Each structure stands twice: as structure tokens, then as C-alpha cells.
Amino acid sequence: MATKYDRVVDLLRTRIEDGTYPAGTRLPAETALAEEIGFTVQVVRRALSELQAEGLIDRIHGRGTWVRQQRRPVERTTERYVWEKQRVHASEEERASTGATERDAGLEVHDLLFEAEYAEVEAPADLAATFEVSTSTKLLRRTYRTRTHGDAPFNVSTSYLPLDLVAANPALLDSTREPWPGGTQHQLFTVGVEVDRIIDKVTARPPRADEVAALDLPAGVAVLVLRKVSIDITGRVVEVADVVLPGDRTQLVYTTQLPRWSA
Amino acid sequence: MATKYDRVVDLLRTRIEDGTYPAGTRLPAETALAEEIGFTVQVVRRALSELQAEGLIDRIHGRGTWVRQQRRPVERTTERYVWEKQRVHASEEERASTGATERDAGLEVHDLLFEAEYAEVEAPADLAATFEVSTSTKLLRRTYRTRTHGDAPFNVSTSYLPLDLVAANPALLDSTREPWPGGTQHQLFTVGVEVDRIIDKVTARPPRADEVAALDLPAGVAVLVLRKVSIDITGRVVEVADVVLPGDRTQLVYTTQLPRWSA
DNA sequence: GAGTGGTCTAGACCACTGT
DNA sequence: CAGTGGTCTAGACCACTCC
């Protein structure tokens, strides 16, 4: 037999999908639901936690539980990489006018708030292996948070660059110059680097406690974790970035062009 | 102040990472941990649930709790699409020798067990929109489960093809002919279709109860959900497939090749 | 202050695994 | 059978929101 909380999950999911509880409406309080259904509050709470994790409801401490409006996921495409590279040779004015993230989100550059934090760190083992350097090598670590006014950040990322590579341009070590017009590819261009290809590796997992706080995630939602590795035209790894994205608000889009059979 | 279960999560995570509880060892029983730490069993249980969701431990009902061995994620690359297309013109013998999934997993074709189930369905709204057809249009729905001997499936997928497209080759309607040598791209080739590009859309969420059962997922792990849309050289959508992958055992790899600045 | 969701306790009972 | 993890209860208390 299914557990009680599974039965409550099914019951409430049905009510949401059949319109008994339309999007945007408030659900009865946990105590009221428990009394109506005839199970304890704890069982109802566990069921609500599952529905929240699926993204069907929002629970707000002290206010109530609400059926979620249809969410509009932010798309992140790989065309942003191609687009960013092409813009490296544009004027500073043009580069400053919009960035890759605004482009994906359909926003203007002044809609986005942007926090950056720089530090010099020694390469941990996994990054040292990726960059093919020793673990004592210094890296420039840059931490970013991107959000819209009054909203939770939808993107927390950490970028690593070999310090000896970027040291050729002292402006790159200055976090107050962010957001840099043209993005990382233009920053790398100022030290003579042309990026040849970018590899995204994607996994999913539940967020850590600090990520829940940073992204203001509802309990139980999963995060997409993207490791982006940039390789220049000489085959050298020039940047590694770890991007954490809320799984319920993000859609990653990758297009694979296949070669034609006949020319 | 952090909650008690958060503090227990941190404590146990530290013990796992610093080698107090090495990979493969068994953790003390919940009651023993609770007594040692001084919190109730319920608090310890909630902490263990979070660590399980992160993939750090396995809890087995009636046996105990174990530190997980370093997991080896199955990679899924987009090169599989290019590779599968190139092989369409290979001999049947060669096509039958190995498939894209075996190639990604580093396995032989006889290592993999493969279940297929076919049905003819009317297009639901989202698929009708993607295929640009009406909702009454018939689709061939094909459900697959892939697993290795004695192991849980690592892949549950549902593929949709327009029925009028594939009806030109009756063999394509016969599920007993799976696994089809050369995969879907070869199946489409038999009805005159050349695939031009494939778009992957990736999100993450917690699994539904039926997915937990099908993939034998530990409680709390997230799934990667991939919608794969294949477009032929005339711009027509010829296949839509939804693939559900366990987030803790899967890594999706996407490479973006950037055009050179100078030719 | 009333009403909401969040944490924690103490304990009963059940389901599964091994001996 | 003993020992493990899983479910469920009854209730205390806390934190947050709104009036």
C-alpha cells in the first residue's frame, strides 16, 4: 500500500491539475487540510514538501501556501558563446550596451544587478587537473551573482582564470571594473587569447544550504550545476567556471548541428 | 542560528570528507548517532536524508547507512548525435555492433538490456505545438528503459514520431524489432528523412514517484530532464524525445565550437 | 494578537535484513 | 530473533506575517 503522504500528494496534485485549486489561489492551512483529510499535520506537511519540491506550490512562512503560477523559465543557450565572441571586436559602447545574460533573459543591461568578488587562490586538485597545472598554481577566482531588481538571484557562478595569464592586464584584477563590457571573452582578448571552443558539463543535485540562501530557493528544488571549460586556439584551458542555476527556473538549450550526408 | 539538522549535516559531511567515515564504511545506526550527538533520532534522520539527496550516503532499509563509493557518472555527449548520423550509411552488421548509448557508457551492445514499448497516441498540447500539428494528430509513442544486467535502469525515455511519417515503413511500428541497428536516425532514414540538427533542452527537478521506482533512485536525488527535438533538412520537426536521467549518475557534455576571428 | 508555516521531541509501530 | 531504517502520531514551542 502506498504511504499516507503519497496518497495526500496524489490528492492535492489532482486538485491542482483539475482546477479545484487554480493557479494563484491559496491552499487551506495545514491544520485545516489535515482535519479534512483525516491524517495528522505531519503527514500533510510531508506531502506539501514534495509538491513544493516539484515546483507546484509555494509555501511562505507565516503567510500560507499557494498554487504556483505557470513559471517562465530563463533560457540559457550556447549561442551566447558564439555571440559573445563575435562582439569582442565591437566598440566599447556597443559591448557595454548589453551582455549575454541579458540577451538570454530578454532584459536590458540596467535591469540586471550584478555583484562581483575577486580573490587569488591556489588551485584545488580538480581545477589543477583541468588546467593541467600543479596544485600550488595561483588562480584568479571571481564570484558573481546576477539578479533583477527586488528579485532573488537566478545565477551564482564562480570563474577561475590562471593568474599568470591575466596578470598581463592589471585592469583584469580589479573587481570594480565589473561588469566588463563584452564579458570574459573580451577580457581574455585583452591578454591575447582567442577562445576556440567551450565545453559545458551539466549535472543536477539538491542545493547546499549556502546555495539555498544565495538563490533563495524554495525547499526541495534541485539545482543544475554547469561546469564551463573554455579552451583557446592553442588547446590550452583558459577559463573554468562553475555555474549554479535553479532547476525550476532554468532551461539549458543546446543545439547540435549535424553534417550533411551529401555536399 | 542554524537549525540542528543543518549542524548535523555539516558534522557528518565533515566526517565523510576528512576520512573519519571513509567511502564504503558503514555509519553508526541512527539511534547511536542521535545518542552520540545529543539530538533526537528525528533530527539525525532529517540530516541523513539531506546527505542522501546529495549522493554522499546510501541508506538501505533494514541494513544500515553507508558512505557512498566515488560515483562514476555516465557521460552523455552530443557527439553521439553526429556519430549516429554518420553510421546511417554503414552496413547493418556494423550498425548492429554498437549503439550510441553503449558508446557513451563504454560498454558492449550485449552488456545493455533494453525494453521498448510502442503505442499510438493523440498529440497532447505541448507536443502538438512542437510538431506544429493539431492536437488530434496521431503520434507513435515509444517508451524505452535501458539498464545493465542486474542493475537499475539509468535511462528512461519516451520518443514521439508523427505516425503518418513512419507509417511508410511498417517495420518501424513493430516494437519487437528493437533495438534497431543504427537507432532512430537510421529509422528515419528508411522513410526518407535526413536530420539536420538536434536541440536539447535541459532542466532539473525532483523525480515523480513512478520515476523513483523506474530508476530505483535513492530518496531525494534530483533528475535531469532532457527534451530532445530533431529537425530535418526541410525544417520539419521529426522527433521529440523526453529523457529522464538520474542527476547523481549522469553528466551531460555539450561542446560549442566557436568560429575563428580570422580565416 | 491571531493565524500561518517550521522545528523539535518522545514514543509507538511497522518493514526489511541478517543470523 | 535482534537490529536496522521508515512511517506516523500528539503535542510543545518557535518564527514569521498581517492586522
Side-chain angles (χ1 to χ4, degrees), chain A residues 30-185:
Chain A
E30 297 174 347
T31 48
L33 279 173
E35 193 171 2
E36 182 219 323
I37 301 174
F39 298 148
T40 61
V41 175
Q42 295 280 10
V43 169
V44 170
R45 283 185 54 69
R46 171 138 186 199
L48 290 172
S49 297
E50 308 230 342
L51 293 170
Q52 181 179 34
E54 286 181 33
L56 281 176
I57 60 173
D58 280 321
R59 299 159 93 188
I60 305 173
H61 193 175
R63 296 218 314 142
T65 302
W66 313 78
V67 180
R68 215 169 177 177
Q69 296 286 357
Q70 180 60 29
R71 55 185 194 235
R72 249 186 313 163
V74 174
E75 286 209 346
R76 182 189 164 103
T77 72
T78 49
E79 278 128 53
R80 65 188 288 142
Y81 299 148
V82 177
W83 183 82
E84 195 179 277
K85 176 163 180 176
Q86 285 167 341
R87 279 168 64 90
V88 162
H89 288 111
S91 71
E92 170 155 357
E93 189 185 16
E94 194 181 336
R95 277 183 281 117
S97 68
T98 191
T101 304
E102 292 86 353
R103 185 168 166 276
D104 273 355
L107 298 168
E108 301 294 316
V109 73
H110 51 264
D111 290 334
L112 280 181
L113 295 179
F114 197 78
E115 297 163 28
E117 193 185 311
Y118 283 22
E120 294 177 15
V121 300
E122 297 201 342
D126 63 324
L127 288 173
T130 306
F131 279 115
E132 295 175 355
V133 298
S134 71
T135 52
S136 60
T137 306
K138 289 271 191 174
L139 303 176
L140 178 66
R141 185 185 69 199
R142 309 179 300 168
T143 309
Y144 299 98
R145 287 174 189 194
T146 314
R147 60 190 177 87
T148 53
H149 286 98
D151 230 350
F154 57 85
N155 181 325
V156 173
S157 68
T158 309
S159 161
Y160 298 89
L161 299 164
L163 190 59
D164 62 356
L165 180 70
V166 291
N169 180 0
L172 298 180
L173 305 177
D174 177 5
S175 68
T176 65
R177 306 195 56 151
E178 295 278 4
W180 185 281
T184 298
Q185 289 204 49

